[in-house]
Amino acid sequence: MDEIQLIERSDGHFYRTPIGILPSVTTIMRELPKPQLESWKSRTPNWQEISHHARDVGSRTHRIIERYLKNGTIDQFYSDEIARSFSAFRGWLDASGFEPVESERMIWSERGYGGTVDLVGYLNEELYVIDIKTARAVYPDYSLQIAAYRTGYEERTRERITGMGIVRLDKPTGGFEWRAYDDEAYHRAWATFSQLCESWHEAYGGEI
């Protein structure tokens, strides 16, 4: 397995890889215009506090899920939001019949990015790359993120991925939403992310 190290900086997440320091998928995707997000920030004085809390809930939920899948143990939930998010994941796991192969797998791509894949495993005997979200909705740009993970995972492992999807864990209700993407959606999303990645490196590549 390649040696990969996550580097957290004020300007984003980066990965130390065998070919150098690369920006994360999410750092590259910061370049996407987000007019709705900017509008929300402009009318929400405490948006930074809200965003920080949401990221913390998401990070803690991911860690609990990772430990649960690896050894079957459940950590302290810290809050009802995290408990409901984990309950939503268990609900999706039971309903889908998903068979995990690995979780939180760091990858990188020769195209110039790194990332951490939340889940890889089998759904209906097909190998899927899956991203876990605790957001309020499944947003359109998520397809770009999961397409980049799929491509990077295939590069590093030489495994053929036949499906990709997002499982959204609803913090208020403990329910879940599943969104799968077919090959056509994958190719569209990958083309868009590739262009975004190239633009990022043209703008910032020399400053890493």
Side-chain angles (χ1 to χ4, degrees), residues 40-173:
W40 172 75
K41 287 180 180 179
S42 68
R43 63 177 187 273
T44 309
N46 62 332
W47 69 266
Q48 289 178 312
E49 180 184 345
I50 294 172
S51 297
H52 176 78
H53 174 73
R55 286 194 298 271
D56 184 61
V57 169
S59 296
R60 290 181 184 273
T61 300
H62 275 73
R63 287 198 293 270
I64 288 172
I65 289 172
E66 180 184 12
R67 292 192 184 100
Y68 173 73
L69 291 176
K70 286 186 175 178
N71 55 38
T73 60
I74 301 173
D75 285 356
Q76 182 179 351
F77 284 128
Y78 299 99
S79 73
D80 289 341
E81 284 181 307
I82 297 172
R84 287 191 292 267
S85 296
F86 180 74
S87 177
F89 177 75
R90 287 287 305 272
W92 171 77
L93 202 62
D94 292 342
S96 67
F98 178 73
E99 300 175 18
V101 172
E102 57 182 331
S103 62
E104 301 299 323
R105 167 68 184 268
M106 290 186 184
I107 56 91
W108 61 274
S109 169
E110 295 172 0
R111 310 295 181 94
Y113 65 87
T116 301
V117 181
D118 289 341
L119 293 174
V120 180
Y122 288 94
L123 269 178
N124 301 319
E125 300 183 350
E126 293 189 349
L127 190 60
Y128 270 71
V129 165
I130 294 172
D131 204 45
I132 300 170
K133 299 294 185 185
T134 53
R136 294 185 177 183
V138 177
Y139 297 108
D141 60 328
Y142 288 170
S143 64
L144 277 62
Q145 186 177 358
I146 197 69
Y149 291 158
R150 172 175 170 171
T151 300
Y153 186 85
E154 287 183 332
E155 281 187 22
R156 301 275 61 78
T157 66
R158 305 305 176 190
E159 293 278 355
R160 182 173 181 273
I161 300 297
T162 52
M164 64 183 202
I166 301 289
V167 56
R168 186 182 71 85
L169 312 178
D170 193 66
K171 292 177 288 190
T173 68

